[in-house]
């Protein structure tokens, strides 16, 4: 599976789309097609290949060792008989595939990629990524490919090679050749690999990537250098000029709440706790989650409001948070730099009234127009609990569910006895 990650949200595509992108730039001549759900009753197939591979398209790893509820074992199959392809695809399409990365019930397979299978004589690792310490892109490679690169870096760091790319010159010939040699390519494969490396950098630039990771970048027994699998991270700020790329997003397995949040430029990740977090800025959001945990609570989500805040965004955020049945308190933690605290306060009061908020709300505001924001909240007449700082806010948010629980127990068990007396 080729996963395409963004800073603000995860964009996932299947391996078919990944192959489409890489082939377009690397000019790899590999036959690929898709079986789609509406074809799975009567499949016919022809592919000019000595061996064929079928891959179930779900957004999870470990497919090769997965199991279908149809009884078929393995989400990846090899065959030299084209007549078997339809039979195998019929046992995949419409059935749930369970792997080590899926829920226990598995994930329904809606498409199957069928491609020419190639033997891999040797595997290497290659990536281009943005490196803050270098203020730009770097190439990272290792002759040990096809495995977890973090493990290679930990056990044999001498097998990790790095080349800093000048953003004005791009990848120079000598850099590409040096990386190809470090990856272990020899003879004519050395030039092939260097050409692929330069084309991958072209891809990196043209699609506004922040990372292009090829694992493995391999060689075949016939003497070809091939990009066999890849992961691409995109800059979400470039969505306006990468519409074709973003249109590849597979939303079928995405979390509905995260999808709804993205419509309003909210960054939302659901967690398992009971304290909802409403914060501006990813760093502050992480700090808020940490301090809730420090005081004995558990965050119910990670929600980043971002910088360009509008009143309707605040309202929609509260709508998402209050719809979660696990949420027993909401903690708002806003530090207004470019964010106007008064806009946030107006959104909060509107949400509390229109949504008839039923859970305790703790608000900590600091920064731009904070005095006006505090005035709006205090004059609203709403049961909003103000906090002096983040530590105070976290303590109050964690305590409120217990306070309410105690009140409910008194009402249920103590008051009836007192009335009877």
């Amino acid at each position: 599976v080729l996963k395409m990650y963004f800073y603000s949200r995860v964009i996932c595509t299947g391996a078919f789309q990944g192959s489409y992108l890489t082939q377009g730039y690397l000019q790899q001549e590999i036959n690929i097609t898709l079986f789609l759900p509406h074809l799975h009753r009567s499949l016919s197939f022809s592919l000019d290949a000595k061996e064929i591979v079928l891959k179930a398209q779900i957004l999870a790893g470990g497919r090769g060792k997965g199991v279908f509820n149809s009884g078929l074992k393995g989400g990846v199959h090899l065959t030299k008989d084209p007549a078997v392809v339809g039979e195998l695809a019929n046992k995949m399409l419409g059935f749930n595939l369970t792997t080590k990365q899926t829920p226990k019930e598995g994930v329904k397979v809606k498409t199957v990629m069928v491609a020419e299978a190639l033997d891999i004589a040797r595997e290497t690792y290659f990536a281009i990524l943005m490196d803050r310490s270098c203020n730009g892109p770097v190439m990272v490679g290792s002759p040990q490919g096809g495995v977890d690169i973090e493990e290679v870096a930990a056990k044999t760091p001498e097998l990790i090679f790095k080349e800093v790319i000048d953003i004005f010159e791009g990848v120079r010939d000598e850099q590409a050749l040096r990386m190809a040699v470090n990856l272990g390519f020899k003879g004519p494969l050395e030039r092939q690999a260097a050409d692929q490396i330069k084309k991958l950098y072209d891809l990196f630039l043209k699609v506004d990537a922040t990372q292009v990771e090829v694992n493995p970048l391999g060689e075949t027994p016939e003497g070809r250098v091939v990009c066999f699998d890849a992961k691409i991270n995109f800059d979400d700020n470039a969505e306006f000029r990468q519409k074709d790329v973003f249109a590849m997003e597979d939303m079928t397995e995405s979390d509905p709440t995260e999808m709804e949040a993205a419509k309003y430029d909210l960054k939302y990740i659901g967690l398992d706790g009971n304290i909802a977090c409403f914060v501006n800025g990813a760093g502050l959001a992480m700090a808020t989650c940490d301090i809730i945990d420090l005081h004995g609570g558990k965050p119910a989500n990670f929600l980043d409001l971002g910088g360009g805040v509008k009143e309707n965004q605040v309202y929609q955020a509260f709508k998402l948070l209050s719809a979660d049945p696990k949420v027993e308190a909401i903690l708002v933690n806003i530090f207004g730099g470019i964010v106007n605290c008064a806009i946030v306060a107006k959104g909060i009061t509107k949400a509390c009234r229109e949504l008839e908020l039923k859970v305790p709300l703790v608000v900590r505001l600091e920064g731009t127009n904070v005095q006006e924001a505090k005035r709006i909240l205090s004059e609203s007449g709403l049961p909003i609990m103000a906090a002096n700082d983040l530590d105070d806010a976290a303590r109050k948010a964690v305590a409120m569910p217990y306070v309410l629980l105690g009140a409910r127990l008194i009402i249920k068990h103590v008051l009836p006895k007192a009335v009877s007396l």
Side-chain angles (χ1 to χ4, degrees):
V1 171
L2 171 63
K3 291 190 176 178
M4 303 181 176
Y5 294 92
F6 293 73
Y7 164 72
S8 63
R9 67 182 189 274
V10 178
I11 299 293
C12 295
T13 73
F16 177 78
Q17 292 95 328
S19 300
Y20 169 81
L21 277 176
T22 52
Q23 284 196 64
Y25 285 85
L26 304 183
Q27 297 173 350
Q28 295 182 165
E29 296 180 359
I30 301 174
N31 294 307
I32 300 176
T33 190
L34 278 182
F35 275 140
L36 300 170
H38 64 278
L39 298 176
H40 93 276
R41 290 302 173 196
S42 57
L43 292 174
S44 60
F45 181 76
S46 63
L47 185 67
D48 183 19
K50 294 179 181 178
E51 191 171 23
I52 299 164
V53 59
L54 293 87
K55 288 188 174 184
Q57 298 295 280
I58 64 168
L59 304 175
R63 288 170 296 165
K65 296 180 180 180
V67 179
F68 286 91
N69 60 355
S70 65
L72 182 67
K73 293 183 179 180
V76 180
H77 283 266
L78 290 167
T79 180
K80 294 182 179 179
D81 182 3
V84 178
V85 172
E87 179 185 339
L88 286 169
N90 272 321
K91 292 180 180 178
M92 295 181 178
L93 288 166
F95 293 99
N96 283 20
L97 174 61
T98 302
T99 78
K100 62 182 180 180
Q101 292 187 9
T102 66
K104 290 181 180 179
E105 66 275 12
V107 175
K108 181 178 286 188
V109 174
K110 298 180 180 179
T111 54
V112 174
M113 186 183 79
V114 182
E116 176 186 3
L118 297 176
D119 290 328
I120 305 177
R122 194 176 67 85
E123 298 179 325
T124 74
Y125 172 91
F126 177 75
I128 301 170
L129 63 153
M130 297 300 291
D131 187 333
R132 181 171 297 190
S133 64
C134 300
N135 294 319
V138 298
M139 295 187 289
V140 178
S142 174
Q144 297 292 315
V147 295
D148 187 348
I149 194 62
E150 286 81 7
E151 187 176 330
V152 175
K155 293 182 178 178
T156 53
E158 68 277 6
L159 295 179
I160 302 293
F161 299 92
K162 184 176 177 180
E163 290 277 349
V164 178
I165 301 171
D166 187 299
I167 59 172
F168 298 106
E169 295 183 14
V171 177
R172 301 189 303 274
D173 283 340
E174 62 268 26
Q175 281 186 301
L177 285 167
R178 186 162 56 242
M179 180 59 76
V181 171
N182 287 334
L183 295 180
F185 292 104
K186 294 180 173 60
L189 293 183
E190 186 180 308
R191 170 48 65 183
Q192 270 196 59
D195 289 342
Q196 296 282 47
I197 287 169
K198 295 193 75 172
K199 289 173 182 175
L200 282 166
Y201 184 64
D202 288 341
L203 169 67
F204 180 86
L205 293 178
K206 294 290 175 58
V207 300
D208 287 297
T210 56
Q211 176 178 296
V212 174
E213 181 184 55
V214 181
N215 191 19
L217 176 65
E219 60 182 74
T220 69
E222 296 78 27
R224 295 171 61 190
V225 177
V226 177
C227 168
F228 284 96
D229 201 1
K231 181 173 76 176
I232 306 177
N233 297 9
F234 298 97
D235 182 354
D236 66 330
N237 292 309
E239 182 176 1
F240 71 96
R241 65 180 175 215
Q242 296 295 344
K243 296 190 183 300
D244 289 345
V245 171
F246 279 73
M248 295 180 184
E249 182 178 6
D250 182 355
M251 305 292 285
T252 57
E253 296 174 39
S254 299
D255 181 272
T257 306
E258 291 180 22
M259 291 167 58
E260 184 67 19
K263 291 180 184 178
Y264 305 100
D265 291 326
L266 300 168
K267 289 77 176 177
Y268 178 94
I269 299 172
L271 301 173
D272 296 329
N274 63 334
I275 311 295
C277 304
F278 178 88
V279 189
N280 68 307
L284 190 59
M286 288 187 285
T288 304
C289 289
D290 286 343
I291 200 164
I292 287 172
D293 191 71
L294 178 68
H295 288 297
K298 293 293 179 184
N301 66 274
F302 173 104
L303 191 147
D304 176 10
L305 184 63
V309 180
K310 297 180 177 64
E311 189 175 320
N312 185 53
Q313 273 183 302
V314 179
Y315 175 83
Q316 295 298 335
F318 267 85
K319 193 173 179 181
L320 289 170
L321 297 177
S322 60
D324 185 346
K326 301 192 308 295
V327 170
E328 296 180 272
I330 297 175
L331 169 55
V332 176
N333 183 24
I334 300 294
F335 186 83
I338 57 175
V339 172
N340 187 329
C341 290
I343 292 176
V344 176
K346 289 176 183 177
I348 291 173
T349 55
K350 177 185 177 183
C352 288
R353 290 192 177 99
E354 295 187 13
L355 298 174
E356 297 181 354
L357 197 65
K358 298 292 194 298
V359 296
L361 174 61
V362 180
V363 178
R364 178 256 183 174
L365 299 171
E366 274 304 335
T368 304
N369 221 1
V370 67
Q371 295 306 322
E372 174 64 12
K374 289 181 177 180
R375 184 193 66 77
I376 292 169
L377 294 179
S378 64
E379 294 179 3
S380 68
L382 295 166
I384 298 171
M385 187 176 298
N388 298 320
D389 51 41
L390 179 53
D391 190 67
D392 181 41
R395 288 178 187 276
K396 288 176 177 176
V398 171
M400 285 312 298
Y402 295 103
V403 172
L404 287 179
L405 177 61
R408 291 191 191 104
L409 290 173
I410 290 171
I411 292 170
K412 183 177 180 180
H413 299 290
V414 178
L415 285 183
K417 292 180 181 179
V419 171
S420 64
L421 292 174

